[in-house]
């Protein structure tokens, strides 16, 4: 039985519980998901390099995600505030440098050929323009196909100047077959040749078209035909003039491949690069947990692997049938994981994708979202919404149990007072005593259980990790360390012809080369061993801080081992390539030797056949 002196305490508890019940439903309302608010900020710096990665979340989105990545690259290039680094180029440093060297060689040859042409040394000019053609063909035609067209036009102009009319017309016909919009200046071609150019141009545009089917192995790839993006393999191009066309295919993690192909089917095999396996691991990690912190950590490591300061990621789910693609898109700062832009949306499939994705992609590159209190903002759920809901339910249950416990406690006190006023030996007194004990027991159980449920609910609802879909971490993690990418020198452009020429419309949008890796912003502390970092005033207790530092050291060690593994695989691949080249050279030498031996034996047999045979009479006469 409870003494009557506790009635005041019970009344106070009842008032407190009534207040909690009043504010509980409002607190239990689910928080609205965070949305990217378009906000005008200062333009991004020139060192803001961005690479685009598309991550399909199911097999139905694989090809569509790759096409959406191309559209995102074009949007970044058009923005004027960010520098695009194609992921395929960033992961193929050796191949990129080789293609840049060929482009520089072509530009130098064009310049020297133009100088020789102006000095009327047409023989030297023809040699230089022919050299520019060969160097351009060995470069990246997905970006610089226009340079190849201009070199071939000047080669034809020099052949005309040398009196090689037939060779010049063959070259003109070949140029127009792959680039009907190529520009021929009357400053370099006489009226008769200009008339021939226009005649051939009309014939090419009016000729029956052929189709070219391009397939790639082992993965889908971006397909460029004569410098124009045609889609993601397998793709069929049906509007081509009958000629040998330049086909270029590229995919992140694989070496760029290109060849000349005529109508029909052609299959190109892309050799894997050492960075292909780390790229696959990181994209699979992000796809496995697309709404968790693992996603952003994987994207930061990918950005460090590519040597860029930002990553624009498109996580695409295809669904069933012709339903629109569900896209989760974000632009992430590699230094601290801050989501500079974030958007959710749907994108139509097929031909409508270009216009249907414009708004989503423009939102991703047009402005940068601010940090909250200097701390990075992220957008991932990690099950926190469910955890918060469970917390609110437990809190409401605990409050209800506490209210019930207080009510029964007050009833037990009332029974106690009635028992004291009743005759002690009467049946009513005994009934009041038993009922009061039962009420007191129920009150004790309700209050204890309610306190436990309310405490657990408060922990789940308000403890770290239950903060909802948009969460700013209390401490920015250091960016993954990576070796700085080599600085790419600006390529000299060839001098324009004497007459103003327009750029062929079929040329794809040029994309800037990746610069050297810039140091992290000033807000990030300088790299130092994790064990020597001075604790910030708001850091967790020593035990948690030590485990966090240990986790950082572990991630850095894994990243270092991954770099060593990439370097080892690169060396092995180079060694294997050298061995294959040596084996091919030996095979060619043996084949040449065998052919020489067969040729020698054939000549000996022919000589024997030509030599007159001697019969027995001739021998006797002799």
């Amino acid at each position: 039985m409870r003494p009557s002196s506790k009635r005041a305490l019970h009344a106070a508890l009842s008032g407190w519980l009534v207040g909690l019940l009043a504010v509980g439903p409002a607190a239990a309302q689910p928080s609205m998901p965070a949305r990217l608010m378009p906000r005008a900020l200062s333009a991004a710096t020139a060192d803001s390099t961005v690479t685009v990665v598309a991550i399909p979340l199911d097999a139905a989105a694989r090809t569509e995600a790759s096409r959406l990545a191309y559209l995102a690259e074009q949007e970044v290039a058009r923005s004027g505030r960010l520098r695009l680094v194609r992921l395929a180029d960033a992961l193929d440093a050796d191949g990129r440098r080789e293609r840049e060297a060929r482009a520089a060689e072509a530009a130098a040859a064009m310049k020297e050929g133009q100088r020789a042409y102006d000095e009327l040394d047409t023989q030297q000019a023809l040699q230089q323009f022919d050299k520019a053609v060969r160097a351009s063909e060995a470069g990246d035609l997905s970006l610089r196909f226009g340079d190849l067209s201009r070199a071939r036009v000047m080669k034809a102009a020099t052949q005309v100047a040398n009196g090689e009319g037939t060779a010049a017309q063959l070259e003109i016909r070949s140029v127009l077959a792959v680039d009907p919009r190529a520009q021929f200046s009357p400053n370099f071609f006489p009226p008769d040749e200009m008339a021939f150019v226009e005649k051939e141009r009309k014939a090419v545009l009016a000729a029956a078209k052929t189709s070219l089917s391009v397939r790639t192995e082992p993965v889908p790839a971006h397909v460029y035909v004569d410098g124009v993006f045609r889609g993601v393999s397998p793709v069929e191009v049906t509007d081509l003039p009958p000629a040998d066309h330049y086909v270029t295919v590229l995919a992140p993690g694989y070496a760029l491949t290109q060849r000349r192909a005529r109508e029909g089917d052609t299959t190109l095999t892309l050799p894997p690069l050492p960075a292909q396996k780390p790229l696959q691991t990181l994209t699979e990690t992000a796809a496995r947990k697309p709404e968790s912190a693992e996603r952003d950590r994987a994207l930061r490591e990918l950005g460090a692997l590519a040597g860029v300061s930002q990553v624009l990621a498109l996580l695409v789910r295809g669904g069933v049938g012709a339903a629109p693609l569900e896209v989760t898109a974000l632009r992430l700062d590699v230094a601290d994981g801050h989501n500079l832009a974030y958007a959710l949306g749907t994108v139509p499939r097929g031909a409508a994708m270009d216009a249907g994705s414009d708004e989503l992609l423009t939102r991703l590159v047009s402005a940068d979202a601010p940090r909250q209190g200097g701390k990075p903002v992220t957008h991932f759920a990690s099950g926190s919404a469910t955890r918060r809901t469970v917390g609110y339910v437990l809190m409401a249950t605990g409050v209800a149990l506490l209210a019930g416990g207080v009510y029964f406690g007050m009833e037990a006190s009332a029974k106690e007072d009635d028992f004291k006023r009743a005759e002690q030996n009467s049946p009513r007194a005994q009934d009041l005593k038993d009922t009061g004990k039962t009420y007191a027991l129920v009150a004790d159980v309700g209050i204890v259980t309610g306190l436990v449920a309310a405490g657990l609910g408060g922990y789940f609802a308000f403890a770290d990790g239950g903060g909802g879909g948009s969460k700013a971490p209390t401490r920015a993690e250091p960016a993954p360390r990576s070796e700085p990418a080599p600085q790419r020198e600006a390529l000299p452009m060839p001098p324009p012809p004497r007459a103003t020429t327009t750029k062929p419309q079929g040329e794809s949008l040029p994309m800037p080369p990746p610069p050297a890796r810039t140091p992290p912003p000033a807000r990030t502390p300088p790299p130092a061993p994790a064990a020597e970092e001075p604790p910030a005033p708001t850091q967790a207790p020593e035990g948690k801080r030590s485990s966090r530092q240990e986790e950082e050291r572990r991630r850095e060690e894994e990243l270092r081992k991954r770099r060593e593994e990439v370097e080892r695989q690169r060396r092995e691949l180079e060694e294997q390539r050298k061995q294959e080249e040596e084996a091919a050279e030996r095979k060619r030498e043996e084949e040449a030797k065998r052919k020489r031996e067969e040729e020698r034996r054939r000549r000996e047999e022919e000589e024997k056949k030509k030599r007159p045979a001697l019969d027995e009479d001739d021998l006797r006469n002799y």
Side-chain angles (χ1 to χ4, degrees):
M1 298 290 289
R2 296 180 182 273
S4 57
S5 59
K6 293 185 178 179
R7 289 184 180 179
L9 178 60
H10 290 165
L13 284 173
S14 298
W16 176 68
L17 292 173
V18 169
L20 284 179
L21 288 172
V23 301
Q29 293 296 324
S31 58
M32 295 298 292
R35 293 182 178 273
L36 176 66
M37 300 299 294
R39 186 172 174 180
L41 298 177
S42 59
T45 64
D47 294 329
S48 296
T49 55
V50 182
T51 193
V52 177
V53 58
I55 303 176
L57 301 181
D58 53 23
R62 192 176 186 187
T63 301
E64 302 287 358
S66 184
R67 179 175 177 84
L68 187 60
Y70 169 79
L71 297 177
E73 290 176 348
Q74 299 301 299
E75 188 64 37
V76 171
R78 284 193 296 266
S79 69
R81 60 189 301 272
L82 302 168
R83 297 177 59 189
L84 175 68
V85 180
R86 295 189 306 186
L87 187 57
D89 294 332
L91 300 180
D92 185 15
D94 294 340
R96 183 186 68 229
R97 283 193 291 269
E98 178 65 21
R99 293 189 291 272
E100 289 173 356
R102 299 286 77 78
E105 180 183 347
M110 283 290 290
K111 183 178 180 180
E112 184 63 24
Q114 187 68 51
R115 184 194 61 78
Y117 187 92
D118 293 340
E119 295 175 356
L120 304 182
D121 188 355
T122 55
Q123 291 294 336
Q124 177 67 17
L126 179 60
Q127 294 178 6
Q128 292 298 324
F129 288 134
D130 185 64
K131 180 180 178 181
V133 170
R134 294 195 304 270
S136 296
E137 289 179 334
D140 187 352
L141 295 180
S142 68
L143 297 179
R144 297 186 173 90
F145 186 78
D147 295 345
L148 173 61
S149 291
R150 285 188 286 273
R152 298 185 68 182
V153 167
M154 290 307 300
K155 178 181 177 181
T158 311
Q159 289 171 335
V160 171
N162 287 336
E164 303 174 11
T166 302
Q169 291 184 355
L170 289 174
E171 188 68 25
I172 292 171
R173 186 176 289 116
S174 178
V175 170
L176 292 174
V178 297
D179 188 5
R181 295 177 176 81
Q183 299 298 313
F184 293 79
S185 172
N187 290 347
F188 301 118
F189 293 90
D192 292 345
E193 295 299 331
M194 288 298 296
F196 177 80
V197 167
E198 295 306 319
K199 177 183 175 182
E200 286 298 319
R201 194 194 305 274
K202 292 178 181 179
V204 169
L205 294 175
K209 305 301 181 183
T210 62
S211 63
L212 175 64
S213 180
V214 180
R215 299 179 181 275
T216 58
E217 296 177 352
V219 295
H222 289 177
V223 177
Y224 295 80
V225 178
D226 300 331
V228 179
F229 178 73
R230 293 291 191 162
V232 179
S233 61
V235 63
E236 184 172 4
V237 185
T238 59
D239 56 349
L240 297 175
D244 287 337
H245 296 273
Y246 295 90
V247 180
T248 306
V249 295
L250 70 158
Y254 295 85
L256 180 145
T257 304
Q258 57 191 15
R259 71 168 63 156
R260 299 190 74 173
R262 194 171 273 269
E263 60 182 309
D265 296 337
T266 184
T267 301
L268 292 88
T269 301
L270 290 83
L273 298 169
Q276 188 270 331
K277 288 185 178 179
L279 173 65
Q280 182 179 0
T281 300
L282 294 173
T283 54
E284 288 177 352
T285 300
R288 186 168 57 251
K289 297 182 179 180
E291 297 182 358
S292 71
E294 290 294 327
R295 175 199 69 194
D296 286 14
R297 275 196 287 269
L299 294 178
R300 291 178 65 192
E301 290 189 25
L302 191 152
L305 183 66
V308 295
S309 60
Q310 298 180 20
V311 173
L312 194 157
L314 303 165
L315 292 89
V316 185
R317 191 180 303 278
V320 181
L325 304 171
E326 298 178 3
V327 182
T328 300
L330 68 151
R331 182 161 53 88
L332 174 140
D333 193 331
V334 175
D336 62 358
H338 172 57
N339 289 182
L340 294 161
Y342 180 82
L344 301 174
T346 58
V347 174
R349 299 170 184 260
M353 179 182 291
D354 293 27
S357 63
D358 185 66
E359 181 181 357
L360 176 72
L361 298 178
T362 301
R363 221 189 323 168
L364 288 172
V365 301
S366 60
D368 296 342
R371 289 170 171 78
Q372 293 182 358
K375 297 179 181 179
V377 176
T378 56
H379 299 80
F380 43 76
S382 299
S384 59
T386 301
R387 179 173 177 175
R388 172 178 286 186
T389 302
V390 171
Y392 288 144
V393 170
L394 285 175
M395 287 179 62
T397 303
V399 169
L401 289 172
L402 283 170
V406 171
Y407 170 77
F408 280 103
M410 296 177 67
E411 286 295 320
S413 297
K415 296 297 182 183
E416 180 184 15
D417 293 342
D418 293 342
F419 172 76
K420 290 179 179 180
R421 288 192 296 268
E423 295 182 5
Q424 298 299 308
N425 295 327
S426 64
R428 182 173 180 273
Q430 186 63 34
D431 182 65
L432 290 172
K433 180 179 180 181
D434 295 339
T435 304
K437 286 183 178 181
T438 302
Y439 284 178
L441 178 61
V442 172
D444 291 338
V445 173
I447 290 175
V448 172
T449 308
L451 288 173
V452 172
L456 289 175
Y459 172 76
F460 284 125
F462 303 115
D464 185 26
S470 181
K471 173 175 173 288
T474 57
R475 182 172 181 268
E477 298 178 2
R481 295 188 177 95
S482 64
E483 297 296 331
Q487 178 71 35
R488 298 174 65 183
E489 298 179 358
L491 301 178
M493 297 301 294
R498 283 179 244 177
T500 303
T501 61
T502 59
K503 190 174 182 179
Q505 298 179 10
E507 185 177 354
S508 62
L509 185 64
M511 300 180 184
R517 176 74 189 278
T518 59
R523 62 177 177 274
T524 305
E532 298 179 2
E533 286 188 0
T538 59
Q539 283 183 342
E542 185 65 29
K544 292 184 179 179
R545 188 165 62 250
S546 299
S547 63
R548 185 177 300 160
Q549 293 172 352
E550 183 64 27
E551 178 68 17
E552 292 173 0
R553 287 197 297 272
R554 184 184 63 80
R555 284 201 298 270
E556 291 174 1
E557 182 66 19
E558 289 178 356
L559 189 59
R560 183 185 62 79
K561 291 181 179 179
R562 184 172 296 168
R563 291 198 205 97
E564 293 176 354
E565 179 66 17
V566 169
E567 182 64 22
R568 183 186 65 79
Q569 292 177 357
R570 186 185 66 79
R571 290 197 298 268
E572 291 178 356
L573 193 61
E574 290 179 354
E575 184 65 24
Q576 181 180 358
R577 189 182 298 119
K578 290 181 181 178
Q579 293 176 359
E580 291 176 353
E581 292 176 354
E582 292 175 357
E585 183 65 25
R586 288 195 299 269
K587 186 176 180 180
R588 285 195 296 270
E589 292 177 355
E590 293 174 357
E591 183 69 18
K593 183 177 180 181
R594 183 181 63 78
K595 289 182 178 180
R596 289 195 299 270
E597 186 65 23
E598 291 178 354
E599 181 67 19
R600 185 182 62 79
R601 287 199 297 267
R602 186 182 61 79
R603 286 198 300 269
E604 290 178 355
E605 291 176 357
E606 290 178 353
E607 290 176 358
K608 288 180 181 180
K609 291 179 181 179
K610 293 178 181 179
R611 191 179 302 157
L614 297 178
D615 56 16
E616 294 182 358
D617 294 338
D618 292 333
L619 291 175
R620 284 195 299 270
N621 294 333
Y622 178 76

